[in-house]
Amino acid sequence: MELLSTNVSFEGEHRRYRHTSATLECDMEFAVYLPPAAVGSNPKKVPVLYWLSGLTCTDQNFMQKAGAQKRAAKLGMAIVCPDTSPRGLNLPGEDDSYDFGSGAGFYINATQQPWAPHYRMYDYVVKELPQLVENELPVTDKRSISGHSMGGHGALIAALKNPGRYASVSAFAPIANPTECPWGQKAFKGYLGEDTRSWEEWDATLLIPTARERLPLLVDQGTSDEFLDSQLNPDALADACEKFHHHINLRMHRGYDHSYFFIASFIDDHLDHHAEALGL
């Protein structure tokens, strides 16, 4: 790992790294916040919250806008924030739109060309990146996962598909039923092909019935989110959870939108939720 930058923050450190990803066959950048306990001359290993960001984001949006460091420092929790897709591969159509290609990996494993060799963000965030972080940084293998919008979708499917891997999961305004919304349909058709049956394993709402682990879901959603009705559909997820007795705490917040103002308003609740599950 190549250290790109470091900033002291609430007595801990925010760092940015670059590494060569074998999974994605390209260089990737990610950010990590290490709390005070994990830095200095005698660093202590701490558990990690993996944060998955939304469409168009890089590793930097959450770290600069969410205001998570103060609470994470107090709790003794590291936060790892990957990028949202490979970058600069010069694939045809890679940079044509905000909701497909660069900045829009959707945390799935592509099967269609030319995306399949590189757009394997699911394997990257679930397997390769945690292994790298746990090998190279003062963190434990106790993990939680959260995210926003496209990243909320990623967090939910990562937890639902990997029983025992995460202590807890939460999401802000997730794309909860991507097979039934324009963002998800565009991405899944491009990355996975025309067979909609192959899409189902990447849809949190459709994974609820067969989930082998019933981690409680904490989901926050703003009522003034411009994407609520057309793209996010938290009600479908809540209905599936009710039908199959999967605990969900869907909190609707009046007047909040899809922005980082919303995330910053409730991020401490999510950090506390994960800290309890991680034993902090």
Side-chain angles (χ1 to χ4, degrees):
M1 301 194 310
E2 176 191 358
L3 180 63
L4 300 177
S5 64
T6 183
N7 307 91
V8 176
S9 179
F10 296 100
E11 305 303 319
E13 288 185 16
H14 166 260
R15 302 176 185 174
R16 296 190 69 235
Y17 287 99
R18 180 186 294 126
H19 75 109
T20 300
S21 167
T23 300
L24 308 180
E25 298 184 6
C26 65
D27 286 348
M28 292 292 290
E29 296 177 358
F30 70 93
V32 57
Y33 177 71
L34 294 173
V39 300
S41 58
N42 188 28
K44 173 189 173 185
K45 287 191 174 187
V46 297
V48 182
L49 173 64
Y50 288 86
W51 173 271
L52 307 183
S53 291
L55 288 166
T56 74
C57 290
T58 68
D59 63 281
Q60 299 184 69
N61 299 72
F62 176 82
M63 291 298 192
Q64 294 181 7
K65 296 180 179 180
Q69 290 89 344
K70 184 176 183 178
R71 190 70 176 163
K74 182 177 180 180
L75 292 168
M77 176 191 300
I79 302 174
V80 170
C81 187
D83 203 344
T84 53
S85 76
R87 303 277 177 175
L89 296 171
N90 297 315
L91 301 177
E94 176 180 54
D95 299 314
D96 288 356
S97 58
Y98 79 94
D99 55 358
F100 186 80
S102 295
F106 265 83
Y107 306 103
I108 65 176
N109 289 336
T111 58
Q112 301 298 299
Q113 296 300 330
W115 314 99
H118 306 287
Y119 275 65
R120 303 181 60 82
M121 287 298 294
Y122 173 80
D123 279 354
Y124 177 71
V125 299
V126 172
K127 300 174 184 176
E128 185 182 20
L129 183 61
Q131 183 178 33
L132 176 70
V133 168
E134 289 162 18
N135 286 343
E136 300 293 335
L137 295 173
V139 302
T140 70
D141 61 0
K142 295 184 71 173
R143 313 172 199 92
S144 291
I145 193 163
S146 186
H148 171 231
S149 194
M150 177 184 74
H153 142 77
L156 292 172
I157 64 168
L160 290 167
K161 290 164 70 71
N162 293 277
R165 186 159 185 81
Y166 301 99
S168 54
V169 58
S170 72
F172 286 85
I175 304 173
N177 193 192
T179 60
E180 298 295 333
C181 77
W183 278 342
Q185 291 167 351
K186 178 178 179 178
F188 288 7
K189 182 178 179 180
Y191 295 137
L192 302 173
E194 300 279 356
D195 183 1
T196 56
R197 290 172 298 178
S198 69
W199 302 2
E200 294 176 2
E201 66 171 303
W202 307 107
D203 185 315
T205 296
L206 301 182
L207 290 171
I208 290 294
T210 57
R212 289 184 289 138
E213 182 180 39
R214 299 289 174 180
L215 285 180
L217 309 182
L218 172 61
V219 177
D220 277 351
Q221 174 65 60
T223 64
S224 295
D225 189 320
E226 61 269 41
F227 304 114
L228 175 57
D229 295 328
S230 60
Q231 302 282 8
L232 305 178
N233 202 3
D235 288 342
L237 178 64
D239 288 347
C241 287
E242 181 178 3
K243 182 177 180 180
F244 292 95
H245 308 291
H246 193 127
H247 179 76
I248 183 171
N249 183 10
L250 173 59
R251 309 192 306 180
M252 303 298 295
H253 300 280
R254 184 173 300 278
Y256 284 89
D257 59 18
H258 200 67
S259 72
Y260 270 87
F261 294 108
F262 167 51
I263 297 172
S265 298
F266 300 102
I267 190 63
D268 284 4
D269 290 352
H270 286 244
L271 294 178
D272 290 345
H273 167 77
H274 296 297
E276 182 178 1
L278 292 165
L280 294 173

